[in-house]
PDB file of all heavy atoms in Angstrom:
ATOM      1  N   ARG A   1     123.378 121.073  89.688  1.00 89.00           N
ATOM      2  CA  ARG A   1     122.848 122.278  89.034  1.00 89.00           C
ATOM      3  C   ARG A   1     122.058 121.893  87.788  1.00 89.00           C
ATOM      4  O   ARG A   1     122.004 120.728  87.396  1.00 89.00           O
ATOM      5  CB  ARG A   1     123.994 123.219  88.647  1.00 89.00           C
ATOM      6  CG  ARG A   1     124.999 122.599  87.685  1.00 89.00           C
ATOM      7  CD  ARG A   1     126.138 123.550  87.390  1.00 89.00           C
ATOM      8  NE  ARG A   1     126.958 123.753  88.564  1.00 89.00           N
ATOM      9  CZ  ARG A   1     127.974 122.950  88.898  1.00 89.00           C
ATOM     10  NH1 ARG A   1     128.265 121.891  88.150  1.00 89.00           N
ATOM     11  NH2 ARG A   1     128.694 123.192  89.963  1.00 89.00           N
ATOM     12  N   GLY A   2     121.459 122.904  87.170  1.00 91.00           N
ATOM     13  CA  GLY A   2     120.806 122.724  85.886  1.00 91.00           C
ATOM     14  C   GLY A   2     119.403 122.140  85.940  1.00 91.00           C
ATOM     15  O   GLY A   2     118.787 122.001  86.997  1.00 91.00           O
ATOM     16  N   ARG A   3     118.907 121.788  84.760  1.00 93.00           N
ATOM     17  CA  ARG A   3     117.538 121.301  84.629  1.00 93.00           C
ATOM     18  C   ARG A   3     117.310 120.004  85.390  1.00 93.00           C
ATOM     19  O   ARG A   3     116.239 119.787  85.963  1.00 93.00           O
ATOM     20  CB  ARG A   3     117.214 121.078  83.148  1.00 93.00           C
ATOM     21  CG  ARG A   3     117.172 122.349  82.315  1.00 93.00           C
ATOM     22  CD  ARG A   3     116.844 122.025  80.877  1.00 93.00           C
ATOM     23  NE  ARG A   3     116.792 123.217  80.046  1.00 93.00           N
ATOM     24  CZ  ARG A   3     116.589 123.195  78.729  1.00 93.00           C
ATOM     25  NH1 ARG A   3     116.428 122.013  78.117  1.00 93.00           N
ATOM     26  NH2 ARG A   3     116.557 124.317  78.044  1.00 93.00           N
ATOM     27  N   GLU A   4     118.314 119.131  85.371  1.00 94.00           N
ATOM     28  CA  GLU A   4     118.154 117.849  86.052  1.00 94.00           C
ATOM     29  C   GLU A   4     117.935 118.053  87.544  1.00 94.00           C
ATOM     30  O   GLU A   4     117.104 117.376  88.158  1.00 94.00           O
ATOM     31  CB  GLU A   4     119.381 116.971  85.818  1.00 94.00           C
ATOM     32  CG  GLU A   4     119.207 115.544  86.331  1.00 94.00           C
ATOM     33  CD  GLU A   4     120.414 114.668  86.059  1.00 94.00           C
ATOM     34  OE1 GLU A   4     121.365 115.149  85.407  1.00 94.00           O
ATOM     35  OE2 GLU A   4     120.409 113.512  86.511  1.00 94.00           O
ATOM     36  N   ARG A   5     118.664 119.003  88.133  1.00 95.00           N
ATOM     37  CA  ARG A   5     118.469 119.282  89.565  1.00 95.00           C
ATOM     38  C   ARG A   5     117.056 119.812  89.818  1.00 95.00           C
ATOM     39  O   ARG A   5     116.378 119.376  90.758  1.00 95.00           O
ATOM     40  CB  ARG A   5     119.504 120.295  90.051  1.00 95.00           C
ATOM     41  CG  ARG A   5     119.329 120.679  91.535  1.00 95.00           C
ATOM     42  CD  ARG A   5     120.400 121.654  91.994  1.00 95.00           C
ATOM     43  NE  ARG A   5     120.179 122.114  93.367  1.00 95.00           N
ATOM     44  CZ  ARG A   5     120.570 121.475  94.456  1.00 95.00           C
ATOM     45  NH1 ARG A   5     121.215 120.322  94.332  1.00 95.00           N
ATOM     46  NH2 ARG A   5     120.334 121.945  95.665  1.00 95.00           N
ATOM     47  N   LYS A   6     116.603 120.749  88.997  1.00 94.00           N
ATOM     48  CA  LYS A   6     115.268 121.315  89.178  1.00 94.00           C
ATOM     49  C   LYS A   6     114.192 120.242  89.064  1.00 94.00           C
ATOM     50  O   LYS A   6     113.226 120.220  89.835  1.00 94.00           O
ATOM     51  CB  LYS A   6     115.027 122.429  88.161  1.00 94.00           C
ATOM     52  CG  LYS A   6     115.883 123.669  88.385  1.00 94.00           C
ATOM     53  CD  LYS A   6     115.577 124.725  87.342  1.00 94.00           C
ATOM     54  CE  LYS A   6     116.418 125.988  87.574  1.00 94.00           C
ATOM     55  NZ  LYS A   6     116.150 127.024  86.553  1.00 94.00           N
ATOM     56  N   ALA A   7     114.383 119.344  88.087  1.00 95.00           N
ATOM     57  CA  ALA A   7     113.390 118.292  87.883  1.00 95.00           C
ATOM     58  C   ALA A   7     113.349 117.334  89.075  1.00 95.00           C
ATOM     59  O   ALA A   7     112.273 116.962  89.552  1.00 95.00           O
ATOM     60  CB  ALA A   7     113.699 117.523  86.599  1.00 95.00           C
ATOM     61  N   ARG A   8     114.516 116.954  89.575  1.00 95.00           N
ATOM     62  CA  ARG A   8     114.573 116.033  90.711  1.00 95.00           C
ATOM     63  C   ARG A   8     113.999 116.688  91.961  1.00 95.00           C
ATOM     64  O   ARG A   8     113.282 116.054  92.743  1.00 95.00           O
ATOM     65  CB  ARG A   8     116.014 115.599  90.959  1.00 95.00           C
ATOM     66  CG  ARG A   8     116.575 114.636  89.920  1.00 95.00           C
ATOM     67  CD  ARG A   8     116.257 113.183  90.244  1.00 95.00           C
ATOM     68  NE  ARG A   8     116.935 112.769  91.441  1.00 95.00           N
ATOM     69  CZ  ARG A   8     118.218 112.401  91.502  1.00 95.00           C
ATOM     70  NH1 ARG A   8     118.972 112.432  90.400  1.00 95.00           N
ATOM     71  NH2 ARG A   8     118.748 112.003  92.643  1.00 95.00           N
ATOM     72  N   LEU A   9     114.304 117.961  92.184  1.00 95.00           N
ATOM     73  CA  LEU A   9     113.770 118.665  93.347  1.00 95.00           C
ATOM     74  C   LEU A   9     112.249 118.737  93.290  1.00 95.00           C
ATOM     75  O   LEU A   9     111.564 118.578  94.309  1.00 95.00           O
ATOM     76  CB  LEU A   9     114.363 120.072  93.425  1.00 95.00           C
ATOM     77  CG  LEU A   9     115.779 120.184  93.994  1.00 95.00           C
ATOM     78  CD1 LEU A   9     116.358 121.555  93.707  1.00 95.00           C
ATOM     79  CD2 LEU A   9     115.782 119.905  95.502  1.00 95.00           C
ATOM     80  N   ALA A  10     111.714 118.963  92.087  1.00 93.00           N
ATOM     81  CA  ALA A  10     110.261 119.030  91.928  1.00 93.00           C
ATOM     82  C   ALA A  10     109.624 117.682  92.250  1.00 93.00           C
ATOM     83  O   ALA A  10     108.550 117.622  92.871  1.00 93.00           O
ATOM     84  CB  ALA A  10     109.908 119.465  90.507  1.00 93.00           C
ATOM     85  N   GLU A  11     110.269 116.591  91.845  1.00 95.00           N
ATOM     86  CA  GLU A  11     109.753 115.255  92.143  1.00 95.00           C
ATOM     87  C   GLU A  11     109.760 114.993  93.649  1.00 95.00           C
ATOM     88  O   GLU A  11     108.804 114.462  94.210  1.00 95.00           O
ATOM     89  CB  GLU A  11     110.587 114.193  91.425  1.00 95.00           C
ATOM     90  CG  GLU A  11     110.422 114.197  89.910  1.00 95.00           C
ATOM     91  CD  GLU A  11     111.337 113.195  89.252  1.00 95.00           C
ATOM     92  OE1 GLU A  11     112.049 112.455  89.967  1.00 95.00           O
ATOM     93  OE2 GLU A  11     111.357 113.135  88.008  1.00 95.00           O
ATOM     94  N   VAL A  12     110.867 115.375  94.287  1.00 95.00           N
ATOM     95  CA  VAL A  12     110.989 115.180  95.727  1.00 95.00           C
ATOM     96  C   VAL A  12     109.915 115.975  96.468  1.00 95.00           C
ATOM     97  O   VAL A  12     109.284 115.489  97.414  1.00 95.00           O
ATOM     98  CB  VAL A  12     112.397 115.599  96.210  1.00 95.00           C
ATOM     99  CG1 VAL A  12     112.446 115.692  97.734  1.00 95.00           C
ATOM    100  CG2 VAL A  12     113.443 114.621  95.701  1.00 95.00           C
ATOM    101  N   ALA A  13     109.691 117.216  96.042  1.00 93.00           N
ATOM    102  CA  ALA A  13     108.743 118.096  96.715  1.00 93.00           C
ATOM    103  C   ALA A  13     107.319 117.558  96.672  1.00 93.00           C
ATOM    104  O   ALA A  13     106.529 117.800  97.585  1.00 93.00           O
ATOM    105  CB  ALA A  13     108.793 119.489  96.098  1.00 93.00           C
ATOM    106  N   SER A  14     106.980 116.806  95.623  1.00 91.00           N
ATOM    107  CA  SER A  14     105.606 116.322  95.468  1.00 91.00           C
ATOM    108  C   SER A  14     105.442 114.852  95.850  1.00 91.00           C
ATOM    109  O   SER A  14     104.364 114.287  95.689  1.00 91.00           O
ATOM    110  CB  SER A  14     105.149 116.516  94.018  1.00 91.00           C
ATOM    111  OG  SER A  14     105.982 115.784  93.125  1.00 91.00           O
ATOM    112  N   ASP A  15     106.489 114.231  96.363  1.00 94.00           N
ATOM    113  CA  ASP A  15     106.443 112.803  96.667  1.00 94.00           C
ATOM    114  C   ASP A  15     105.584 112.542  97.911  1.00 94.00           C
ATOM    115  O   ASP A  15     105.718 113.230  98.923  1.00 94.00           O
ATOM    116  CB  ASP A  15     107.851 112.268  96.912  1.00 94.00           C
ATOM    117  CG  ASP A  15     107.953 110.770  96.631  1.00 94.00           C
ATOM    118  OD1 ASP A  15     106.998 110.042  96.962  1.00 94.00           O
ATOM    119  OD2 ASP A  15     108.980 110.331  96.078  1.00 94.00           O
ATOM    120  N   THR A  16     104.729 111.541  97.817  1.00 93.00           N
ATOM    121  CA  THR A  16     103.869 111.184  98.945  1.00 93.00           C
ATOM    122  C   THR A  16     104.568 110.226  99.909  1.00 93.00           C
ATOM    123  O   THR A  16     103.956 109.764 100.878  1.00 93.00           O
ATOM    124  CB  THR A  16     102.568 110.533  98.447  1.00 93.00           C
ATOM    125  OG1 THR A  16     102.882 109.378  97.649  1.00 93.00           O
ATOM    126  CG2 THR A  16     101.768 111.520  97.600  1.00 93.00           C
ATOM    127  N   ARG A  17     105.838 109.912  99.618  1.00 96.00           N
ATOM    128  CA  ARG A  17     106.625 109.066 100.508  1.00 96.00           C
ATOM    129  C   ARG A  17     107.652 109.911 101.254  1.00 96.00           C
ATOM    130  O   ARG A  17     108.016 110.995 100.815  1.00 96.00           O
ATOM    131  CB  ARG A  17     107.365 107.998  99.708  1.00 96.00           C
ATOM    132  CG  ARG A  17     106.472 107.085  98.894  1.00 96.00           C
ATOM    133  CD  ARG A  17     107.265 106.288  97.887  1.00 96.00           C
ATOM    134  NE  ARG A  17     107.851 107.149  96.867  1.00 96.00           N
ATOM    135  CZ  ARG A  17     108.616 106.706  95.862  1.00 96.00           C
ATOM    136  NH1 ARG A  17     108.885 105.430  95.766  1.00 96.00           N
ATOM    137  NH2 ARG A  17     109.101 107.550  94.983  1.00 96.00           N
ATOM    138  N   THR A  18     108.142 109.408 102.362  1.00 98.00           N
ATOM    139  CA  THR A  18     109.276 110.033 103.036  1.00 98.00           C
ATOM    140  C   THR A  18     110.485 109.919 102.105  1.00 98.00           C
ATOM    141  O   THR A  18     110.691 108.886 101.481  1.00 98.00           O
ATOM    142  CB  THR A  18     109.576 109.312 104.367  1.00 98.00           C
ATOM    143  OG1 THR A  18     108.433 109.411 105.209  1.00 98.00           O
ATOM    144  CG2 THR A  18     110.779 109.930 105.057  1.00 98.00           C
ATOM    145  N   THR A  19     111.262 110.987 101.991  1.00 98.00           N
ATOM    146  CA  THR A  19     112.401 111.003 101.071  1.00 98.00           C
ATOM    147  C   THR A  19     113.704 111.197 101.837  1.00 98.00           C
ATOM    148  O   THR A  19     113.800 112.066 102.707  1.00 98.00           O
ATOM    149  CB  THR A  19     112.246 112.131 100.031  1.00 98.00           C
ATOM    150  OG1 THR A  19     111.022 111.948  99.310  1.00 98.00           O
ATOM    151  CG2 THR A  19     113.400 112.103  99.042  1.00 98.00           C
ATOM    152  N   VAL A  20     114.701 110.388 101.480  1.00 98.00           N
ATOM    153  CA  VAL A  20     116.017 110.455 102.113  1.00 98.00           C
ATOM    154  C   VAL A  20     117.036 110.946 101.088  1.00 98.00           C
ATOM    155  O   VAL A  20     117.125 110.407  99.980  1.00 98.00           O
ATOM    156  CB  VAL A  20     116.458 109.077 102.652  1.00 98.00           C
ATOM    157  CG1 VAL A  20     117.804 109.181 103.360  1.00 98.00           C
ATOM    158  CG2 VAL A  20     115.402 108.511 103.590  1.00 98.00           C
ATOM    159  N   LEU A  21     117.794 111.983 101.463  1.00 97.00           N
ATOM    160  CA  LEU A  21     118.791 112.576 100.580  1.00 97.00           C
ATOM    161  C   LEU A  21     120.145 112.600 101.275  1.00 97.00           C
ATOM    162  O   LEU A  21     120.231 112.767 102.490  1.00 97.00           O
ATOM    163  CB  LEU A  21     118.421 114.020 100.222  1.00 97.00           C
ATOM    164  CG  LEU A  21     117.066 114.292  99.579  1.00 97.00           C
ATOM    165  CD1 LEU A  21     116.749 115.772  99.657  1.00 97.00           C
ATOM    166  CD2 LEU A  21     117.087 113.855  98.130  1.00 97.00           C
ATOM    167  N   PHE A  22     121.218 112.461 100.492  1.00 95.00           N
ATOM    168  CA  PHE A  22     122.569 112.708 100.985  1.00 95.00           C
ATOM    169  C   PHE A  22     122.988 114.096 100.531  1.00 95.00           C
ATOM    170  O   PHE A  22     122.608 114.547  99.441  1.00 95.00           O
ATOM    171  CB  PHE A  22     123.558 111.687 100.417  1.00 95.00           C
ATOM    172  CG  PHE A  22     123.488 110.329 101.055  1.00 95.00           C
ATOM    173  CD1 PHE A  22     124.062 109.227 100.431  1.00 95.00           C
ATOM    174  CD2 PHE A  22     122.865 110.139 102.271  1.00 95.00           C
ATOM    175  CE1 PHE A  22     124.011 107.975 101.017  1.00 95.00           C
ATOM    176  CE2 PHE A  22     122.806 108.885 102.870  1.00 95.00           C
ATOM    177  CZ  PHE A  22     123.383 107.803 102.234  1.00 95.00           C
ATOM    178  N   GLU A  23     123.777 114.788 101.337  1.00 94.00           N
ATOM    179  CA  GLU A  23     124.288 116.095 100.907  1.00 94.00           C
ATOM    180  C   GLU A  23     125.612 116.387 101.588  1.00 94.00           C
ATOM    181  O   GLU A  23     125.856 115.968 102.724  1.00 94.00           O
ATOM    182  CB  GLU A  23     123.260 117.191 101.208  1.00 94.00           C
ATOM    183  CG  GLU A  23     123.557 118.504 100.516  1.00 94.00           C
ATOM    184  CD  GLU A  23     123.774 118.349  99.018  1.00 94.00           C
ATOM    185  OE1 GLU A  23     124.920 118.004  98.632  1.00 94.00           O
ATOM    186  OE2 GLU A  23     122.834 118.571  98.246  1.00 94.00           O
ATOM    187  N   SER A  24     126.476 117.097 100.870  1.00 90.00           N
ATOM    188  CA  SER A  24     127.771 117.476 101.431  1.00 90.00           C
ATOM    189  C   SER A  24     127.591 118.702 102.320  1.00 90.00           C
ATOM    190  O   SER A  24     126.623 119.463 102.164  1.00 90.00           O
ATOM    191  CB  SER A  24     128.753 117.802 100.307  1.00 90.00           C
ATOM    192  OG  SER A  24     128.448 119.063  99.745  1.00 90.00           O
ATOM    193  N   PRO A  25     128.507 118.933 103.265  1.00 89.00           N
ATOM    194  CA  PRO A  25     128.379 120.100 104.148  1.00 89.00           C
ATOM    195  C   PRO A  25     128.417 121.423 103.399  1.00 89.00           C
ATOM    196  O   PRO A  25     127.818 122.401 103.838  1.00 89.00           O
ATOM    197  CB  PRO A  25     129.564 119.959 105.105  1.00 89.00           C
ATOM    198  CG  PRO A  25     130.512 119.046 104.413  1.00 89.00           C
ATOM    199  CD  PRO A  25     129.675 118.108 103.601  1.00 89.00           C
ATOM    200  N   ARG A  26     129.079 121.457 102.252  1.00 89.00           N
ATOM    201  CA  ARG A  26     129.177 122.720 101.487  1.00 89.00           C
ATOM    202  C   ARG A  26     127.871 123.073 100.794  1.00 89.00           C
ATOM    203  O   ARG A  26     127.623 124.251 100.527  1.00 89.00           O
ATOM    204  CB  ARG A  26     130.295 122.616 100.445  1.00 89.00           C
ATOM    205  CG  ARG A  26     131.679 122.480 101.021  1.00 89.00           C
ATOM    206  CD  ARG A  26     132.729 122.625  99.931  1.00 89.00           C
ATOM    207  NE  ARG A  26     132.522 121.656  98.863  1.00 89.00           N
ATOM    208  CZ  ARG A  26     132.993 120.414  98.883  1.00 89.00           C
ATOM    209  NH1 ARG A  26     133.665 119.973  99.931  1.00 89.00           N
ATOM    210  NH2 ARG A  26     132.779 119.594  97.869  1.00 89.00           N
ATOM    211  N   ARG A  27     127.037 122.072 100.493  1.00 91.00           N
ATOM    212  CA  ARG A  27     125.839 122.329  99.707  1.00 91.00           C
ATOM    213  C   ARG A  27     124.539 122.134 100.472  1.00 91.00           C
ATOM    214  O   ARG A  27     123.460 122.348  99.928  1.00 91.00           O
ATOM    215  CB  ARG A  27     125.837 121.447  98.449  1.00 91.00           C
ATOM    216  CG  ARG A  27     126.944 121.753  97.472  1.00 91.00           C
ATOM    217  CD  ARG A  27     126.722 121.037  96.144  1.00 91.00           C
ATOM    218  NE  ARG A  27     126.766 119.587  96.308  1.00 91.00           N
ATOM    219  CZ  ARG A  27     127.867 118.849  96.268  1.00 91.00           C
ATOM    220  NH1 ARG A  27     129.029 119.440  96.070  1.00 91.00           N
ATOM    221  NH2 ARG A  27     127.815 117.548  96.411  1.00 91.00           N
ATOM    222  N   VAL A  28     124.632 121.733 101.729  1.00 92.00           N
ATOM    223  CA  VAL A  28     123.409 121.410 102.463  1.00 92.00           C
ATOM    224  C   VAL A  28     122.516 122.641 102.627  1.00 92.00           C
ATOM    225  O   VAL A  28     121.282 122.550 102.501  1.00 92.00           O
ATOM    226  CB  VAL A  28     123.749 120.785 103.838  1.00 92.00           C
ATOM    227  CG1 VAL A  28     124.463 121.774 104.749  1.00 92.00           C
ATOM    228  CG2 VAL A  28     122.483 120.257 104.503  1.00 92.00           C
ATOM    229  N   ALA A  29     123.093 123.811 102.866  1.00 92.00           N
ATOM    230  CA  ALA A  29     122.280 125.026 103.053  1.00 92.00           C
ATOM    231  C   ALA A  29     121.522 125.369 101.773  1.00 92.00           C
ATOM    232  O   ALA A  29     120.336 125.725 101.814  1.00 92.00           O
ATOM    233  CB  ALA A  29     123.167 126.195 103.487  1.00 92.00           C
ATOM    234  N   ALA A  30     122.193 125.251 100.620  1.00 93.00           N
ATOM    235  CA  ALA A  30     121.548 125.561  99.341  1.00 93.00           C
ATOM    236  C   ALA A  30     120.424 124.574  99.046  1.00 93.00           C
ATOM    237  O   ALA A  30     119.358 124.959  98.535  1.00 93.00           O
ATOM    238  CB  ALA A  30     122.581 125.537  98.217  1.00 93.00           C
ATOM    239  N   THR A  31     120.638 123.300  99.361  1.00 95.00           N
ATOM    240  CA  THR A  31     119.605 122.296  99.118  1.00 95.00           C
ATOM    241  C   THR A  31     118.395 122.523 100.010  1.00 95.00           C
ATOM    242  O   THR A  31     117.245 122.426  99.560  1.00 95.00           O
ATOM    243  CB  THR A  31     120.178 120.880  99.340  1.00 95.00           C
ATOM    244  OG1 THR A  31     121.192 120.634  98.363  1.00 95.00           O
ATOM    245  CG2 THR A  31     119.091 119.828  99.212  1.00 95.00           C
ATOM    246  N   ILE A  32     118.623 122.847 101.270  1.00 95.00           N
ATOM    247  CA  ILE A  32     117.514 123.147 102.175  1.00 95.00           C
ATOM    248  C   ILE A  32     116.725 124.352 101.664  1.00 95.00           C
ATOM    249  O   ILE A  32     115.489 124.375 101.692  1.00 95.00           O
ATOM    250  CB  ILE A  32     118.037 123.416 103.601  1.00 95.00           C
ATOM    251  CG1 ILE A  32     118.567 122.125 104.229  1.00 95.00           C
ATOM    252  CG2 ILE A  32     116.943 124.015 104.478  1.00 95.00           C
ATOM    253  CD1 ILE A  32     117.520 121.073 104.443  1.00 95.00           C
ATOM    254  N   ASP A  33     117.435 125.366 101.178  1.00 94.00           N
ATOM    255  CA  ASP A  33     116.770 126.569 100.669  1.00 94.00           C
ATOM    256  C   ASP A  33     115.937 126.238  99.430  1.00 94.00           C
ATOM    257  O   ASP A  33     114.815 126.730  99.273  1.00 94.00           O
ATOM    258  CB  ASP A  33     117.813 127.638 100.342  1.00 94.00           C
ATOM    259  CG  ASP A  33     117.176 128.999 100.096  1.00 94.00           C
ATOM    260  OD1 ASP A  33     116.320 129.415 100.905  1.00 94.00           O
ATOM    261  OD2 ASP A  33     117.526 129.647  99.089  1.00 94.00           O
ATOM    262  N   ASP A  34     116.474 125.387  98.541  1.00 95.00           N
ATOM    263  CA  ASP A  34     115.726 124.979  97.352  1.00 95.00           C
ATOM    264  C   ASP A  34     114.470 124.192  97.737  1.00 95.00           C
ATOM    265  O   ASP A  34     113.397 124.386  97.148  1.00 95.00           O
ATOM    266  CB  ASP A  34     116.603 124.123  96.436  1.00 95.00           C
ATOM    267  CG  ASP A  34     117.668 124.937  95.711  1.00 95.00           C
ATOM    268  OD1 ASP A  34     117.510 126.167  95.637  1.00 95.00           O
ATOM    269  OD2 ASP A  34     118.639 124.337  95.215  1.00 95.00           O
ATOM    270  N   LEU A  35     114.604 123.315  98.711  1.00 95.00           N
ATOM    271  CA  LEU A  35     113.451 122.537  99.163  1.00 95.00           C
ATOM    272  C   LEU A  35     112.394 123.437  99.798  1.00 95.00           C
ATOM    273  O   LEU A  35     111.191 123.258  99.577  1.00 95.00           O
ATOM    274  CB  LEU A  35     113.896 121.471 100.166  1.00 95.00           C
ATOM    275  CG  LEU A  35     114.682 120.295  99.594  1.00 95.00           C
ATOM    276  CD1 LEU A  35     115.245 119.429 100.721  1.00 95.00           C
ATOM    277  CD2 LEU A  35     113.809 119.442  98.673  1.00 95.00           C
ATOM    278  N   ARG A  36     112.839 124.420 100.568  1.00 93.00           N
ATOM    279  CA  ARG A  36     111.895 125.358 101.188  1.00 93.00           C
ATOM    280  C   ARG A  36     111.105 126.111 100.129  1.00 93.00           C
ATOM    281  O   ARG A  36     109.887 126.312 100.262  1.00 93.00           O
ATOM    282  CB  ARG A  36     112.644 126.349 102.078  1.00 93.00           C
ATOM    283  CG  ARG A  36     111.737 127.375 102.764  1.00 93.00           C
ATOM    284  CD  ARG A  36     112.525 128.561 103.242  1.00 93.00           C
ATOM    285  NE  ARG A  36     113.277 129.191 102.164  1.00 93.00           N
ATOM    286  CZ  ARG A  36     112.749 129.974 101.228  1.00 93.00           C
ATOM    287  NH1 ARG A  36     111.449 130.243 101.242  1.00 93.00           N
ATOM    288  NH2 ARG A  36     113.498 130.484 100.280  1.00 93.00           N
ATOM    289  N   ALA A  37     111.804 126.527  99.054  1.00 92.00           N
ATOM    290  CA  ALA A  37     111.125 127.284  97.999  1.00 92.00           C
ATOM    291  C   ALA A  37     110.056 126.448  97.304  1.00 92.00           C
ATOM    292  O   ALA A  37     109.014 126.971  96.899  1.00 92.00           O
ATOM    293  CB  ALA A  37     112.161 127.769  96.979  1.00 92.00           C
ATOM    294  N   LEU A  38     110.290 125.135  97.166  1.00 92.00           N
ATOM    295  CA  LEU A  38     109.351 124.275  96.457  1.00 92.00           C
ATOM    296  C   LEU A  38     108.286 123.674  97.376  1.00 92.00           C
ATOM    297  O   LEU A  38     107.135 123.492  96.974  1.00 92.00           O
ATOM    298  CB  LEU A  38     110.109 123.137  95.767  1.00 92.00           C
ATOM    299  CG  LEU A  38     110.902 123.514  94.518  1.00 92.00           C
ATOM    300  CD1 LEU A  38     111.804 122.368  94.102  1.00 92.00           C
ATOM    301  CD2 LEU A  38     109.952 123.868  93.376  1.00 92.00           C
ATOM    302  N   CYS A  39     108.658 123.355  98.608  1.00 91.00           N
ATOM    303  CA  CYS A  39     107.741 122.670  99.530  1.00 91.00           C
ATOM    304  C   CYS A  39     107.007 123.618 100.462  1.00 91.00           C
ATOM    305  O   CYS A  39     106.006 123.225 101.072  1.00 91.00           O
ATOM    306  CB  CYS A  39     108.511 121.661 100.379  1.00 91.00           C
ATOM    307  SG  CYS A  39     109.407 120.421  99.451  1.00 91.00           S
ATOM    308  N   GLY A  40     107.542 124.839 100.594  1.00 91.00           N
ATOM    309  CA  GLY A  40     106.968 125.764 101.560  1.00 91.00           C
ATOM    310  C   GLY A  40     107.705 125.677 102.881  1.00 91.00           C
ATOM    311  O   GLY A  40     108.302 124.642 103.205  1.00 91.00           O
ATOM    312  N   PRO A  41     107.676 126.745 103.678  1.00 91.00           N
ATOM    313  CA  PRO A  41     108.453 126.794 104.913  1.00 91.00           C
ATOM    314  C   PRO A  41     107.944 125.892 106.030  1.00 91.00           C
ATOM    315  O   PRO A  41     108.671 125.625 106.989  1.00 91.00           O
ATOM    316  CB  PRO A  41     108.351 128.270 105.324  1.00 91.00           C
ATOM    317  CG  PRO A  41     107.062 128.727 104.728  1.00 91.00           C
ATOM    318  CD  PRO A  41     106.948 128.001 103.424  1.00 91.00           C
ATOM    319  N   LEU A  42     106.704 125.384 105.918  1.00 92.00           N
ATOM    320  CA  LEU A  42     106.130 124.594 107.011  1.00 92.00           C
ATOM    321  C   LEU A  42     106.338 123.089 106.845  1.00 92.00           C
ATOM    322  O   LEU A  42     105.994 122.315 107.745  1.00 92.00           O
ATOM    323  CB  LEU A  42     104.633 124.885 107.150  1.00 92.00           C
ATOM    324  CG  LEU A  42     104.274 126.336 107.469  1.00 92.00           C
ATOM    325  CD1 LEU A  42     102.765 126.479 107.630  1.00 92.00           C
ATOM    326  CD2 LEU A  42     104.993 126.813 108.727  1.00 92.00           C
ATOM    327  N   ARG A  43     106.902 122.655 105.726  1.00 94.00           N
ATOM    328  CA  ARG A  43     107.150 121.214 105.505  1.00 94.00           C
ATOM    329  C   ARG A  43     108.180 120.727 106.515  1.00 94.00           C
ATOM    330  O   ARG A  43     109.210 121.352 106.738  1.00 94.00           O
ATOM    331  CB  ARG A  43     107.657 121.003 104.083  1.00 94.00           C
ATOM    332  CG  ARG A  43     107.818 119.545 103.674  1.00 94.00           C
ATOM    333  CD  ARG A  43     106.496 118.947 103.236  1.00 94.00           C
ATOM    334  NE  ARG A  43     106.763 117.729 102.477  1.00 94.00           N
ATOM    335  CZ  ARG A  43     106.887 117.685 101.157  1.00 94.00           C
ATOM    336  NH1 ARG A  43     106.760 118.794 100.436  1.00 94.00           N
ATOM    337  NH2 ARG A  43     107.129 116.543 100.564  1.00 94.00           N
TER     338      ARG A  43
END
């Protein structure tokens, strides 16, 4: 959570490389939703 999460998500969204993330089953839906909001639904 917090500013650090927002900053890291923004970096991931604009990265020109393939990005690999780990996520727990409880938070995977929220992370996907955050990525969709920053990257767009077609990424």
Side-chain angles (χ1 to χ4, degrees):
R1 60 183 68 86
R3 293 180 180 176
E4 188 178 356
R5 178 178 175 85
K6 292 180 179 179
R8 288 273 294 280
L9 281 166
E11 291 176 3
V12 168
S14 61
D15 205 321
T16 57
R17 301 166 294 179
T18 299
T19 302
V20 182
L21 304 165
F22 284 163
E23 193 52 277
S24 75
R26 295 190 303 274
R27 295 191 296 273
V28 65
T31 295
I32 290 296
D33 192 47
D34 287 341
L35 288 171
R36 180 199 56 76
L38 286 169
C39 303
L42 299 182
R43 186 82 162 267

